Amino acid sequence: MGLEINTLAIIPLMTKMHHPRAAESATKYFLTQATASALILFSTTINAWMTGEWTIMNMTNQIPTVILTLALAIKLGIAPFHLWLPDVLQGLNMLTCLILSTWQKLAPMALMMLTSHQLNTNLLIAMALMSTIIGGWGGLNQTQMRKIMAYSSIAHLGWMILVISFAPNLALLNLLIYLVLTSSMFLMLMTLNSTNTNKLSISWLKTPTLAASMMVTLMALGGLPPTSGFLPKWLILQEMTKQHLGALSALMAMSALLSLFFYIRLSYTISMTSPPNISNSSLTWRKKKNLTYVIPILITMSAAMMPITPTLLLLN
């Protein structure tokens, strides 16, 4: 019931633009989320039929466990159930995309962490590897920022569900860093009013400080040291090697390079390219007295440049 209330509450936010694309996005989102909720109910019903318990904490049979895993994967947008996420985000405004990419992930991820000890580990590993590869591969040829952020979300979710069976605390750390970085990225895109790479390329004319902060955030999303995005990837690969999954760790690390490529391409677009419709004035940002970009800058710098050593001490 909580998942359904969560789904129905965001539908008015999705359709407030009164545009056919928004209505299409809301319809796709509602159908996929309703299907996933029905599958969750179906798995608990099968489990109750087999064991006599309605709780999802003690599923002993493989059939309801696999159905529950697939239902949560559909809700989160994990590959191979990811196709709805880029299309839905593309039809929405930036604020609704921000809510959909961050807040709406919390409830399914909480359920997945709650039941992580009994989910099918091999299925989770297969979906995680598929998500990181598809998330990196799908974002390579995109020019729309919302689709790029959607594929970025798919790739990050792959890293989370990879380690959720072995170390749920690492998955939680990855989720928290993903939420902060994605929120700061969407806030900057809203401030700059950039929906594609062409608009992004003149962002340095508007607010140079914000454009520089966006480059740092993109590097953190890609997982480059010394940014905070490097920390969960490093710890997850370390945990995978402890579990004697060396080949899987190598594949995950190489798939992260695909995502890193389009993050670097965006950084290149921001910093080193000038569009043909460049402004005649190079000082437009000085004439503006609006300081709304200060908040995204502060969030970005505190999130992306978080020191790694204190976090490691906390984990230890």
Side-chain angles (χ1 to χ4, degrees):
M1 189 177 70
L3 290 171
E4 280 304 296
I5 292 172
N6 189 21
T7 301
L8 293 173
I10 201 174
I11 297 294
L13 290 174
M14 299 173 80
T15 55
K16 70 177 182 179
M17 287 199 303
H18 303 292
H19 192 272
R21 289 297 299 269
E24 179 189 349
S25 296
T27 306
K28 286 179 179 178
Y29 182 75
F30 173 74
L31 290 175
T32 51
Q33 297 297 308
T35 304
S37 298
L39 281 175
I40 291 174
L41 193 59
F42 185 51
S43 68
T44 53
T45 308
I46 293 177
N47 184 58
W49 177 49
M50 290 180 171
T51 63
E53 289 188 8
W54 281 99
T55 176
I56 62 170
M57 289 292 293
N58 300 313
M59 288 187 176
T60 55
N61 195 279
Q62 281 293 321
I63 296 174
T65 306
V66 169
I67 295 175
L68 180 65
T69 308
L70 296 178
L72 293 174
I74 294 171
K75 272 204 166 292
L76 287 167
I78 296 167
F81 310 105
H82 66 285
L83 293 172
W84 62 271
L85 187 57
D87 287 341
V88 167
L89 287 188
Q90 184 57 32
L92 307 175
N93 60 358
M94 283 294 178
L95 179 60
T96 315
C97 288
L98 168 63
I99 297 170
L100 199 66
S101 300
T102 55
W103 184 259
Q104 295 297 103
K105 305 287 185 192
L106 293 181
M109 189 56 74
L111 283 176
M112 193 167 269
M113 287 183 181
L114 193 69
T115 58
S116 60
H117 61 282
Q118 61 193 14
L119 296 180
N120 192 326
T121 306
N122 293 328
L123 182 60
L124 286 176
I125 288 175
M127 288 195 299
L129 184 59
M130 204 181 304
S131 294
T132 51
I133 292 173
I134 290 175
W137 199 272
L140 288 180
N141 203 29
Q142 299 293 336
T143 57
Q144 299 293 325
M145 288 305 301
R146 285 167 289 194
K147 284 197 173 182
I148 288 175
M149 292 306 296
Y151 283 109
S152 168
S153 174
I154 293 166
H156 278 90
L157 286 168
W159 283 91
M160 289 176 218
I161 66 164
L162 174 70
V163 78
I164 201 167
S165 296
F166 306 106
N169 57 337
L170 284 185
L172 182 60
L173 172 68
N174 199 347
L175 177 64
L176 291 176
I177 292 177
Y178 160 78
L179 291 177
V180 176
L181 291 176
T182 306
S183 300
S184 60
M185 190 69 192
F186 272 113
L187 285 172
M188 285 186 285
L189 291 173
M190 288 162 59
T191 306
L192 294 172
N193 197 19
S194 300
T195 54
N196 54 40
T197 51
N198 287 335
K199 290 181 182 178
L200 202 64
S201 60
I202 59 168
S203 60
W204 60 272
L205 282 174
K206 301 175 184 176
T207 49
T209 315
L210 194 58
S213 304
M214 187 180 285
M215 291 173 60
V216 176
T217 308
L218 286 167
M219 293 301 100
L221 283 168
L224 284 184
T227 59
S228 57
F230 170 68
L231 178 64
K233 287 185 171 60
W234 173 31
L235 294 175
I236 288 170
L237 290 177
Q238 187 180 22
E239 181 65 30
M240 289 297 104
T241 50
K242 283 180 184 177
Q243 301 292 336
H244 307 289
L245 296 170
L248 178 65
S249 302
L251 286 173
M252 292 293 291
M254 286 190 288
S255 66
L257 295 175
L258 293 170
S259 299
L260 183 61
F261 178 81
F262 64 77
Y263 293 132
I264 291 177
R265 185 167 63 91
L266 286 176
S267 300
Y268 173 78
T269 304
I270 296 168
S271 59
M272 297 184 184
T273 58
S274 297
N277 57 342
I278 193 168
S279 172
N280 292 324
S281 170
S282 61
L283 302 177
T284 53
W285 62 281
R286 294 185 187 275
K287 296 176 183 176
K288 288 187 177 181
K289 295 183 180 179
N290 189 2
L291 296 179
T292 53
Y293 59 87
V294 173
I295 297 173
I297 289 175
L298 293 176
I299 294 174
T300 302
M301 300 310 291
S302 61
M305 298 304 295
M306 182 178 64
I308 287 177
T309 309
T311 314
L312 282 177
L313 290 175
L314 285 173
L315 286 173
N316 288 333

